[in-house]
Amino acid sequence: MENFFSVSDVEDVQELLKKAMEVKKNPLVNKTLGKHKTLGLIFYNSSLRTRISSQKAAFNLGMDVITLNIGSDGWQLESKDGAIMDQGTAEHIKEAAAVISTYVDVLGIRCFAGLEDREADYNEEVLQNFIKHATVPIVNLESSTLHPLQSLADLVTIETHKKKDRPKVVLTWAPHPRALPQAVSNSFTEWMKKADVELVITNPEGYDLAPKFTEGVTVEHDQKKAFEGADFVYAKNWSSYDSYGQILSTDPSWTIDADKMAVTNNAKFMHCLPVRRNVVVADEVIDSENSVVIEQAGNRVVSIQTVLQEFLKIRWRILRTLKIL
Ligand code: AN0
Ligand code: CP
């Protein structure tokens, strides 16, 4: 693994899951692996879980952490190649990525979708530029279209709670007053396709995710039908992909409530958080004993720690050296 940008960077998802379950069981066995190594974290957007779980995981490995909030602390960074920089941006990612690489050993970046220009978002300009110009491994802390650390934590959560070899997992759209990215849902879909689960996605018409993610997956526009027999219900809002970035519906009949959960196979309720109560999910569901959202968020330490461990092991440095030679 050279970077952790998408599921495609992972050679063997089952193997990584196995390592993650070990980390969950024994988080401190590698407490000196990261001695004298530094994790850099760059945030273009807000975060609670990603920021704190990354720090916690680094501490579990004996690493130091440096965080930079672009926007409030850092220079505005340019991501377009060949840009004439006479507007708002003061520094190009080309220099920023190369410079930061001299200070840190692994670099995490969060930069959400702008939700205005679909092509620019789906080209992943910011993260791809960092990958191109950094000389240390890049970890995706949620990019325009993907949130793989969340998906690995989700996979750990499902592995922990599944009662059959191939559980039915339903990813359901839910209403939200703001336009949100498709990153969490895209990523969840691509990771579940590599896991041993029966995946069904349910969303209103007009909210189908990008075909490259939904290819081969059952998409059901009748939410209640999709919920039948589900072992896991994963709720998330996303804005439209077809009418890019738009809110086409805030229909409260899509809110996850106890009536809908009643047709499932006593399903566990999942959400990546932050969640808007009584808009996305009714209190009666998120407060029920079937809700695993807090443990799921706790597994964010497990997912980033598993990834950091991979990069701290000698193999990565040999790969990078050979490439430079
Ligand atoms: C973000 C999103 O939907 O991508 C982050 C989720 C982890 N959510 C919000 O902005 C509310
Ligand atoms: N789930 C998640 O990534 O949360 P934060 O946005 O708080 O980091």
Side-chain angles (χ1 to χ4, degrees):
M1 190 159 75
E2 258 188 90
N3 298 288
F4 188 73
F5 172 70
S6 82
V7 76
S8 317
D9 291 309
V10 181
E11 280 147 37
D12 185 337
V13 170
Q14 286 310 318
E15 197 55 36
L16 193 71
L17 174 61
K18 225 187 277 169
K19 289 178 184 169
M21 297 309 282
E22 282 303 313
V23 170
K24 189 173 163 87
K25 230 188 292 163
N26 286 311
L28 295 176
V29 282
N30 285 317
K31 62 177 188 286
T32 56
L33 185 66
K35 201 168 169 213
H36 304 312
K37 301 277 182 224
T38 303
L39 170 65
L41 298 172
I42 296 186
F43 288 94
Y44 285 72
N45 313 93
S46 308
S47 167
L48 185 152
R49 278 143 291 273
T50 304
R51 179 183 295 256
I52 301 180
S53 64
S54 302
Q55 294 188 11
K56 175 69 181 170
F59 299 156
N60 284 350
L61 293 166
M63 294 180 91
D64 294 317
V65 184
I66 297 174
T67 304
L68 177 68
N69 302 309
I70 301 283
S72 57
D73 305 345
W75 300 109
Q76 292 300 319
L77 298 182
E78 180 59 53
S79 60
K80 294 233 179 305
D81 280 343
I84 298 168
M85 290 168 53
D86 59 358
Q87 299 293 314
T89 52
E91 179 163 22
H92 203 283
I93 288 177
K94 284 186 180 183
E95 285 75 45
V99 169
I100 296 167
S101 297
T102 69
Y103 306 146
V104 306
D105 300 280
V106 181
L107 180 58
I109 299 151
R110 164 165 284 200
C111 187
F112 287 176
L115 294 179
E116 278 169 11
D117 180 344
R118 185 168 91 177
E119 203 185 324
D121 286 347
Y122 275 72
N123 279 341
E124 291 282 4
E125 216 167 67
V126 171
L127 266 279
Q128 285 305 330
N129 252 303
F130 268 100
I131 287 172
K132 196 160 149 200
H133 300 292
T135 54
V136 296
I138 297 295
V139 178
N140 185 341
L141 305 179
E142 187 173 335
S143 64
S144 313
T145 70
L146 297 168
H147 195 0
L149 285 173
Q150 182 63 53
S151 312
L152 178 54
D154 300 338
L155 190 55
V156 168
T157 312
I158 290 170
E159 183 69 15
T160 308
H161 288 280
K162 71 178 188 189
K163 293 200 184 79
K164 55 168 92 115
D165 286 345
R166 197 173 156 76
K168 178 175 177 182
V169 176
V170 177
L171 168 63
T172 178
W173 181 91
H176 198 284
R178 306 273 286 271
L180 298 187
Q182 293 115 28
V184 170
S185 310
N186 288 342
S187 231
F188 185 72
T189 303
E190 67 173 14
W191 280 75
M192 285 304 119
K193 279 162 83 171
K194 298 229 170 176
D196 204 6
V197 304
E198 178 198 346
L199 177 65
V200 175
I201 303 177
T202 182
N203 53 257
E205 303 275 355
Y207 276 101
D208 287 359
L209 295 167
K212 75 165 175 172
F213 293 102
T214 54
E215 198 191 345
V217 179
T218 306
V219 178
E220 171 61 66
H221 293 128
D222 178 338
Q223 191 189 33
K224 206 149 186 178
K225 197 166 157 214
F227 274 38
E228 281 167 12
D231 299 296
F232 294 88
V233 167
Y234 193 110
K236 181 73 183 83
N237 169 268
W238 59 88
S239 58
S240 174
Y241 173 77
D242 283 337
S243 307
Y244 193 63
Q246 286 183 37
I247 299 175
L248 307 177
S249 165
T250 51
D251 181 359
S253 75
W254 277 79
T255 301
I256 319 305
D257 61 15
D259 270 358
K260 282 176 200 157
M261 292 300 283
V263 306
T264 68
N265 181 28
N266 198 26
K268 298 293 183 203
F269 174 79
M270 298 176 70
H271 189 283
C272 64
L273 307 180
V275 71
R276 296 207 179 209
R277 281 172 172 263
N278 303 310
V279 178
V280 170
V281 55
D283 283 344
E284 64 195 9
V285 174
I286 194 169
D287 292 332
S288 75
E289 58 179 30
N290 280 18
S291 170
V292 293
V293 296
I294 305 302
E295 182 184 337
Q296 186 184 350
N299 286 336
R300 291 295 307 277
V301 177
V302 176
S303 65
I304 177 82
Q305 192 172 329
T306 307
V307 169
L308 290 176
Q309 276 182 193
E310 292 297 296
F311 291 136
L312 290 170
K313 287 179 187 155
I314 193 84
R315 199 166 150 265
W316 189 87
R317 284 195 293 284
I318 294 170
L319 275 176
R320 178 62 81 168
T321 312
L322 287 175
K323 211 165 132 184
I324 287 165
L325 288 171

